Amino acid sequence: MKTLARGENCPAPAGPLTVTLTASTSVDVSALLLGPNGRVRSDADLVFYNQPSASGVEYRRTPTGHLLMFDAASVPAGVDTVAVAASLDGTGPATFAAAGPTAVTVSDASDTALVGFTADALGDESALVCLEFYRRGEQWKIRAVGQGYADGLAGLATAFGISIDEDDPTPDPTASVEQPLRPTQSPTSSTDSSAPRGVLAMRSELFAPAHAEVPGSGIQKQGSKMCRIGMNGEVMARAGSMVAYQGNLQFEAKGSGGIGRALKQALSGEGVPLMKVTGQGDLFLANAAQDVHLIDLDGTDGLTINGANVLAFESSLSYDIKRVQGAAAGGNAGFFNCVFSGRGRIAITTDGVPVVLNVDQPTFADPQAAVAWSSSLQTRVKKNDSFGLGTLIGRTTGERFTLEFSGQGFVVVQPSEQPPGGLVGGSGSGEQAGVGGALGGLLGR
């Protein structure tokens, strides 16, 4: 069984699931079906002892504890989250701090325990959201929550949009919702940033689905300027690019990825400062708020790219540092790039939204703007004077060179001609290196 820590998540097992709650004191168990705004759609979205079923969720009381049956296939499309909660029934301690923890276990149809979480409280909470099932794209996931509320089941229901008649001495949590109401009781730890969307009483556009964690394993785009890697093994990433992670991950500095490449980097100034990340969890990477793009290599062609534009790549890919074709060994020092080959996915960055040119005719690009290209392309490095351009191109590097591409393939060109960090003579070797053109600012070294 996988035991979750507070705030940790994992994929929800397929098929119907059973949630079992056990506590040292008498509790009521409930579930709330929440829409994208984190609130119930109507009274029918509260499942508890007086209203034991809704689409995809059913409450059962047994001699050994409380059960909630969850069937993701039956949950309506308008429901993004199903929150599972426990509340004190008033016959025992007044707070969960005095009552002790509540254990939650998720089992499959064969009654095999798959996921567990122990929720506890330190303050005056009399209701706890223990865990939640939530959608990420087409996938359902489980998150350990442990968010506390005061005023028991009534306060919990009110916080998620169910109106309570204050004139009724025995409030009915299923009272109808005439108008949207603000919660009468905020969570007792509302500043806890680990609580997910749909659990906090506060409302913000930050909790919209567009800002939620994307699903899937491997390297995925998380918005336009970040990537998320669903980890179950290892991946290579730019050193210093980690912005967040969840789960059990280990980080190991790898330099430039081997002694051979380290020597080449020392001679050429090109390379990627790497870290190897291993374990299971979710890893989030970014570099100076640059745009992130994913490229899948199928083994038939390689990718030539400046090290400053490499964010992460699967360990199935190999790379080396090579001189750009067409650059004279004696007169064009600094024309080096990383060449990736094999089968796998790589995440690259650009300074702004790039254009991808299909090279079906002679194609020319400023060295600082050409980010990456097909390794099968033929390249030539030409002085701009041969084009009659004089000093109009290459002004940021102090050199007058243009890259010419021919053959069949593509070239990625970014809307920027600044070398990494805005400095002449930059390279791809720094952590959070920032912008980099195809030659890494190395022209004329």
Side-chain angles (χ1 to χ4, degrees), residues 87-102:
S87 53
L88 298 174
D89 64 2
T91 62
T95 68
F96 272 103
T102 298

Side-chain angles (χ1 to χ4, degrees), residues 272-344:
V272 187
L274 294 174
M275 60 182 179
K276 181 171 73 172
V277 187
T278 57
Q280 294 181 325
D282 298 326
L283 173 65
F284 297 87
L285 305 175
N287 188 17
Q290 294 185 349
D291 291 330
V292 173
H293 313 278
L294 305 181
I295 300 177
D296 291 310
L297 278 67
D298 63 5
T300 60
D301 197 357
L303 178 71
T304 300
I305 183 173
N306 175 8
N309 297 88
V310 176
L311 184 60
F313 58 93
E314 295 177 342
S315 56
S316 58
L317 292 175
S318 59
Y319 88 96
D320 201 355
I321 300 172
K322 295 183 179 181
R323 183 182 297 275
V324 176
Q325 285 182 328
N332 293 320
F335 283 77
F336 292 87
N337 273 293
C338 296
V339 179
F340 286 83
S341 59
R343 297 176 63 90

Side-chain angles (χ1 to χ4, degrees), residues 214 219-228 292-294:
V214 299
I219 303 175
Q220 308 289 337
K221 286 188 67 174
Q222 179 72 49
S224 64
K225 300 181 183 297
M226 190 183 304
C227 76
R228 170 194 170 272
V292 173
H293 313 278
L294 305 181

